[in-house]
């Protein structure tokens, strides 16, 4: 099955998943603490029987009994050598029960360990384990993959990247949320849905942990992500442990009522997790049978994300900005420490810039003579441990860009691609794979065009190329390039002109590094501030600036107020940076 | 004769004036130190004979023997009671000699005293004396008036205003220049020509003091003023006083050669002053007889002027700006001192703002309960004594505006008129009479329109009204009005939009008081700087700012650099104000 076939199906109907496998196996005598996947070998009929009960109850997709069948989880039971067998058998059992009318979803659950820096499992190890399991599930004939009960977005990213290695497979990505509306590791439903959707998840959703009533609140937040199809497989209420035995209080009728509400909120895939039984699935299936599948209108809002937050960049509200300071160019000390593997100064720059209001941090570790990809990986991990903002992965080295994209938990932006074919063909697949946004410089093999019109031409080429790679133009930030005003004096106006022209003609976003305007001139901050004010007026979406310059931050806050992007003047009035400027100069 | 008839004549031909009257009378025995005008009564034939000699030599205009026949000059000879008789007789004698083919120009020379503050003659006394003399000359039948040998632009202004009282009289205004290329009181030929032309002089030029060779250099500078017709009546070389007798070394042939060169440079009226004789005029007349009259293409460059300088405001080069600080609104101390007639604080503000780079000073003395016209007169005189920059005469009181315009030696700008009929009809005649530029506010009887488009409508009304009064739209500065961003937050953008819209649609200049944008908000200078940067980018021609704010001056210099108006970056780099900003903030 292809991802697009699942989407076609979801346009036609609400898809009914099965309920809990574990709940049913424990009911049938599986002892708590044992490994449920071993039954695939030791008692396949029990598993098959559960599948049949769900199919009879109305399930249109059944999940393989492989939730814990990854190498890392199985190691805990000392049966890491059984990964292949357990996954193969599970698919065989499910397929036997499913026949041709019911779909088999290969179930992938968490490793049980936390990924670095939250725990000590490396991203690459997790990725390898998921890739191994997904490979077996697909080889054995699973129709689609469901990655579920993930409480860490980073682990989900590793699993999703692993599954996507096998081509255009339909993938359902279900996170599990706490009562506070976030995953244990802090991600909110909107952010998880957006990040996973950008990375190619066919359906995003939630399962387990919460009952249907609490799930509703999560679904409302997930639905804000727009566009992507949603799934929900809550528990049958919250677990109630009386006398050491888990029980769930929610009746089939209650769950069915909420299932209708979920569909109304945009959910296309419904099922159940812990505590749900064939009776629940039957009730759900009957309850939604007369409902039409929800329409999911595409939502092209531009965003970046970090683990805990989505940052929309849509030209309304105070202008977000990229902090430029993590860059060793012309900064000897910083370069030296990066070279020596000391990321303390990088962390300090990250902290200070975020404290000064930076919404995004540019990360450039391009010190000559180092292993840039490894330095980028360390920088991204160090920064993520300290602050939580989206990153701009800044390098001319594709390996370094890939390292940054891989280890960053969220949606980063690539800085940068340009109009040269070589660059486009190297970088665009990375943007696609990691679901990253993209900065496109208006230069190509023949250099930087002098006129705004010619820069538009280069931007157009970048956009067309990117769209061929499936990257929406709304996620492309064109950098019209700021040349040093001391040398190219007529170019500042051309850059400003290019900003409004390119926005208008191509409907893309614009980004601009401001500081270069004053390269080689005195009183740099005065010039930077004036240029920034003009660029904001011209419609610049994302300035790259030095957040530690009060003049520049002051100019940005003032410009937002003047362009009516700071509705109550709160950013202007309450920005600590502006206050600092003012103290110095009033 | 009407002014337009003289212009029609100058389109057809080069006009030949006569040569020296005094030189000829002294040759014929008039004793040095006596009053030449007395001959009009005592020896009219001698005067008539000189006229006839010049007419026979080819003069097409002869000047009445009334150069010193104003009340103030005649007082020195104790014959102030003979003003009427001397002027009447002179016109009668000239007319008799001229017949109908030759024109009679009523000659008006200086009072011999310097006007306040350079001397103690009041502007109003000088004006009265000139008005008296001009009245007699015109009543007696002079075809046109020539005001000549003026070494002080302010005295020339008084005389020209006096003559223009009699209607659309052709007036030739000739200043006399020193070898350094300026009048004794410091005016340069371009400035004098521009100021007098704006006030309604039909022809501007030079006479006396210099020989033809030196006159050429003055003419080149005068010619830069463009548009207006030019006259030149130099001496026959520089005076050479051997044994107490003045003599002039230049031969008729030499003068004739230079006369051709003058015409080539744009002179339409040629003649001679001290030392020139009928032989010189004959030679000149013959020398230019085959030349076509110079074409004087209109020159609509926008300018303001003070006594010693013309300030062009044409959107190229560093943006000029108006210093806003001479304004008692919300400044109790300044208000108090103006009320008490103490202009010391006003002078101090003037000095500081000019030192900080102000190209123009706004002068507002609107303290409630005072005689504002008299205070304006004193303020303008005090400021002119201290600094020499064009002034913006800022009042809602037409009498105060007139006082400012009258006593200011140069071309001021009126701040302001608006779109209300009452205001337009009161202020436009003043702009016309004093040759002032005009600030037009985009508001009318119904207040300030919210949209840029509606502001354009008001601006259009102002421009159309002004053009009916003969005021060129290129001398109109539209103020799109800056409202406090804290209260009217969406209006900053509308104001900026109005600037580019109104410039594009109406071809006028734009002016804008920047400081009001931050009214009621903290960190005012930060906001002012950002707004100024945007406004300069939008094409604002003339900001009104506080020159003592380094942030704002820094933003202006930076914006000029960024909009390519500071070709070598010199204003940016060498502006002391920017340095100050930078010291405080780097
Ligand atoms: Zn569960
Ligand atoms: Zn489950
Ligand atoms: Zn003379």
């Amino acid at each position: 099955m292809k991802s697009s076939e699942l989407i076609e199906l979801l346009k036609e109907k609400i898809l009914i998943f099965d309920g809990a496998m574990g709940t049913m196996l424990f009911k049938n005598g599986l002892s708590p603490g044992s490994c449920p996947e071993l039954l695939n070998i030791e008692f396949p009929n029990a598993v098959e029987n559960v599948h049949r009960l769900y199919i009879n109850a109305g399930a249109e997709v059944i999940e393989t009994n492989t939730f814990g069948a990854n190498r890392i989880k199985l190691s805990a039971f000392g049966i890491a050598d059984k990964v292949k067998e357990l996954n193969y058998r599970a698919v065989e059992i499910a397929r036997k029960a499913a026949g041709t009318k019911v779909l088999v979803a290969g179930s992938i659950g968490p490793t049980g360990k936390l990924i670095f820096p939250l725990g000590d499992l490396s991203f690459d190890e997790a990725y390898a384990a998921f890739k191994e399991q997904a490979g077996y599930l697909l080889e054995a004939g699973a129709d689609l993959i469901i990655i579920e009960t993930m409480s860490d977005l980073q682990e989900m990213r590793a699993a999703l990247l692993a599954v996507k290695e096998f081509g255009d497979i339909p993938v359902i990505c279900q996170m599990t949320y706490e009562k506070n509306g976030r995953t244990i590791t802090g991600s909110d439903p909107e952010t998880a849905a957006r990040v996973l959707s950008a990375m190619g998840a066919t359906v995003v959703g939630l399962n387990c942990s919460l009952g249907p009533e609490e799930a509703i609140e999560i679904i409302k937040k997930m639905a804000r992500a727009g566009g992507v199809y949603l799934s929900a497989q809550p528990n049958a209420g919250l677990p109630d442990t009386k006398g050491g035995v888990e029980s769930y209080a929610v009746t089939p009728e209650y769950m069915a009522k909420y299932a209708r509400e979920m569909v109304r909120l945009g959910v296309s895939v419904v099922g159940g997790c812990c505590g749900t039984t064939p009776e629940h699935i039957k009730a759900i299936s009957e309850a939604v049978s007369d409902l039409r599948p929800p329409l999911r209108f595409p939502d092209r809002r531009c965003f970046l994300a970090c683990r805990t937050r989505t940052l929309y960049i849509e030209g309304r509200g105070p202008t977000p900005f990229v902090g430029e300071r993590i860059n060793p160019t012309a900064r000897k000390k910083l370069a030296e420490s990066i070279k020596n593997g000391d990321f303390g100064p990088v962390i300090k720059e990250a902290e200070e810039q975020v404290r000064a209001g930076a919404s995004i941090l540019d990360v450039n570790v391009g010190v000559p003579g180092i292993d840039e990809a490894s330095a980028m990986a360390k920088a991204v991990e160090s920064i993520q441990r300290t602050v939580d903002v989206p990153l701009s992965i800044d390098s001319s080295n594709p390996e370094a860009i890939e390292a940054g994209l891989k280890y960053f938990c969220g949606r980063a932006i690539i800085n940068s691609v340009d109009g040269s074919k070589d660059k486009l063909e190297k970088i665009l697949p990375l943007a696609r794979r990691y679901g990253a946004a993209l900065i496109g410089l208006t230069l190509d093999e023949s250099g930087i065009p002098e006129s705004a019109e010619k820069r538009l031409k280069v931007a157009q080429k970048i956009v067309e190329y990117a769209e061929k790679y499936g990257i929406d133009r709304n996620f492309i930030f064109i950098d019209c390039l700021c040349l040093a005003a001391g040398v190219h004096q007529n170019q500042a106006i051309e850059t400003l002109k290019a900003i409004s022209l390119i926005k208008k003609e191509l409907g893309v976003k614009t980004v601009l590094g401001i500081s270069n305007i004053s390269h080689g001139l005195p009183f740099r901050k005065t010039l930077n501030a004036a240029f920034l004010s003009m660029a904001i007026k011209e419609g610049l979406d994302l300035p790259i600036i030095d957040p530690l310059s009060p003049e520049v931050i002051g100019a940005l806050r003032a410009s937002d107020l003047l362009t009516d992007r700071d509705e109550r003047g709160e950013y202007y009035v309450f920005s600590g940076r502006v206050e600092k400027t003012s103290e110095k100069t009033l």
Side-chain angles (χ1 to χ4, degrees), chain A residues 26-56:
Chain A
F26 289 121
K27 255 190 195 168
N28 292 335
L30 178 67
S31 56
S34 61
C35 173
E37 287 79 9
L38 265 183
L39 294 184
N40 297 343
I41 301 170
E42 294 172 358
F43 195 5
N45 284 352
V47 177
E48 190 184 329
N49 190 43
V50 175
H51 287 323
R52 291 194 188 278
L53 290 172
Y54 280 123
I55 291 169
N56 291 339

Side-chain angles (χ1 to χ4, degrees), chain A residues 8-336:
Chain A
E8 285 310 309
L9 192 61
L10 295 176
K11 283 180 186 166
E12 296 300 318
K13 65 185 310 303
I14 296 155
L15 201 59
I16 310 295
F17 259 61
D18 56 7
M21 171 61 74
T23 300
M24 295 297 284
L25 293 176
F26 289 121
K27 255 190 195 168
N28 292 335
L30 178 67
S31 56
S34 61
C35 173
E37 287 79 9
L38 265 183
L39 294 184
N40 297 343
I41 301 170
E42 294 172 358
F43 195 5
N45 284 352
V47 177
E48 190 184 329
N49 190 43
V50 175
H51 287 323
R52 291 194 188 278
L53 290 172
Y54 280 123
I55 291 169
N56 291 339
E60 296 159 315
V61 190
I62 55 171
E63 295 187 24
T64 57
N65 181 33
T66 53
F67 179 76
N70 63 71
R71 176 170 298 273
I72 297 163
K73 190 84 172 275
L74 292 179
S75 298
F77 298 99
I79 50 170
D81 58 333
K82 297 207 187 304
V83 179
K84 183 173 181 177
E85 192 180 0
L86 291 177
N87 283 285
Y88 259 79
R89 284 288 155 84
V91 176
E92 285 164 17
I93 297 163
R95 176 57 64 207
K96 193 172 161 207
T100 53
K101 288 196 300 191
V102 169
L103 292 171
V104 172
S107 167
I108 294 178
T111 60
K113 288 186 171 182
L114 279 170
I115 290 183
F116 184 86
L118 300 179
D120 55 15
L121 180 65
S122 83
F123 186 93
D124 294 334
E125 281 177 273
Y127 172 83
F130 292 129
K131 191 171 166 186
E132 180 187 32
Q133 184 184 9
Y136 295 143
L137 289 168
L138 291 166
E139 279 166 30
D143 296 306
L144 60 134
I145 297 289
I146 179 160
I147 310 168
E148 57 182 338
T149 328
M150 287 286 184
S151 57
D152 180 22
L153 182 58
Q154 189 72 321
E155 188 172 359
M156 176 61 99
R157 286 183 68 250
L160 177 55
L161 283 170
V163 174
K164 297 294 286 181
E165 279 294 287
F166 298 96
D168 183 27
I169 311 297
V171 199
I172 299 175
C173 292
Q174 291 178 172
M175 305 291 299
T176 191
Y177 295 91
E178 300 297 297
K179 274 195 184 167
N180 69 4
R182 292 181 175 268
T183 67
I184 287 181
T185 58
S187 300
D188 62 288
E190 187 174 0
T191 296
R194 285 227 171 253
V195 168
L196 297 170
S197 164
M199 288 176 70
T202 319
V203 175
V204 298
L206 66 87
N207 72 296
C208 204
S209 298
L210 304 173
E213 200 173 336
E214 296 87 358
I216 291 293
E217 296 310 309
I218 305 293
I219 290 164
K220 283 180 185 166
K221 288 173 186 160
M222 262 181 356
R224 284 187 206 146
V228 68
Y229 285 88
L230 303 179
S231 70
Q233 306 202 45
N235 289 345
L238 297 174
D240 180 19
T241 8
K242 275 180 193 154
V245 181
E246 280 195 344
S247 69
Y248 292 85
V250 167
T251 62
E253 294 67 36
Y254 184 86
M255 257 199 109
K257 185 186 117 191
Y258 275 99
R260 287 182 67 90
E261 176 67 2
M262 288 173 194
V263 170
R264 201 185 60 79
L265 292 172
V267 169
S268 304
V269 175
V270 287
C273 199
C274 309
T276 53
T277 62
E279 289 71 42
H280 289 92
I281 296 304
K282 184 156 190 281
I284 288 172
S285 168
E286 285 167 1
V288 305
S289 64
D290 64 330
L291 296 181
R292 301 178 56 173
L295 293 169
R296 296 295 289 162
F297 295 105
D299 176 354
R300 299 178 60 227
R301 271 185 295 167
C302 181
F303 72 97
L304 299 179
C306 51
R307 188 190 287 270
T308 61
R309 206 156 15 91
T310 298
L311 172 71
Y312 289 100
I313 305 176
E314 275 301 319
R316 282 179 298 277
T319 305
F321 63 91
V322 181
E324 70 182 8
R325 295 179 59 86
I326 303 178
N327 190 323
T329 313
R331 295 186 67 188
K332 272 197 180 171
K333 272 190 170 175
L334 191 61
E336 201 59 33

